[in-house]
Amino acid sequence: MTGLALTGVVPGRLHGRFPSVEGDWYGIVNYEIGYADGHRDKLYLVDQFVPFIALRERK
């Protein structure tokens, strides 16, 4: 299988948050995601706009 693995949980760094006009909150996040075929390289995503519903606090 090729492509990015877009399910699961990955660590990231939240460095901003903004409300929408509808009242929803979004975070600006840096994080890495891996590839579905398991190769070692990862895709590093910078300043991604992510809905707060998809974020959780690191424990």
Side-chain angles (χ1 to χ4, degrees), residues 1-17:
M1 183 181 314
T2 61
L4 297 171
L6 299 178
T7 61
V9 177
V10 297
R13 181 172 182 269
L14 174 69
H15 58 92
R17 57 182 175 227

Side-chain angles (χ1 to χ4, degrees), residues 34-35 37-43:
Y35 289 87
D37 64 4
H39 73 269
R40 292 169 33 156
D41 294 333
K42 294 192 182 259
L43 180 62

